[in-house]
């Protein structure tokens, strides 16, 4: 079983790396780029087992404990 | 207009950060986690303009020139 977890900065949290990428793209001639925000995506391979609700609940735990910094980031889990 | 770009390591490229996350999760009791690979996601805000084919082609260029390292990474563009 596979899962994909998106971890992105919460709205209002400053993203200097995204700002640098936006500035870089504009200076390369892509003036249409108004804002860039950078997040992470975790592709996770899981051993089969358990009902979907349990799998999802354990993935939520993993996000809260390790994958995301809940102070500044939010996450979204997709089962594939 | 908004776009989302996923940049992920190509198959076969070693991902030590993903491996570390996988080991961390297993050591925290999530033994079902067999593999983790980490990618980046760019949320891009674009000024409206031009037909979708042009927007897409310019995003492809941005990926090849700046957002992705085409030697080791591949990318996927979604228009939202």
């Amino acid at each position: 079983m596979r899962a994909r977890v998106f971890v992105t900065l919460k709205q209002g949290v400053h993203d200097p790396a995204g700002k640098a990428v936006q500035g870089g793209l504009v200076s390369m001639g892509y003036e249409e780029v108004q804002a860039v925000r950078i997040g992470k995506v975790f592709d996770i391979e899981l051993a089969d087992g358990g009902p979907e609700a349990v799998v999802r609940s354990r993935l939520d735990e993993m996000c809260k404990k390790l994958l995301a910094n809940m102070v500044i980031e939010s996450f979204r889990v997709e089962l594939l």
Side-chain angles (χ1 to χ4, degrees), chain A:
Chain A
M1 179 177 244
R2 301 189 61 203
R4 177 164 278 183
V5 173
F6 298 91
V7 176
T8 48
L9 286 170
K10 288 182 180 171
Q11 274 208 333
V13 177
H14 193 53
D15 180 0
K19 188 77 193 146
V21 168
Q22 185 261 343
L25 288 170
V26 168
S27 74
M28 289 163 69
Y30 301 104
E31 293 91 357
E32 71 266 42
V33 179
Q34 298 181 323
V36 176
R37 287 179 73 81
I38 306 178
K40 283 168 280 187
V41 53
F42 296 86
D43 281 310
I44 303 178
E45 192 78 46
L46 296 162
D48 290 329
E52 186 179 316
V54 174
V55 172
R56 205 171 268 280
S57 137
R58 285 176 68 85
L59 282 165
D60 268 26
E61 279 179 26
M62 294 180 211
C63 290
K64 288 176 184 159
K65 288 187 188 165
L66 186 72
L67 303 183
N69 174 348
M70 296 304 295
V71 179
I72 55 167
E73 294 172 326
S74 54
F75 67 88
R76 185 162 57 83
V77 173
E78 275 179 14
L79 292 182
L80 308 178

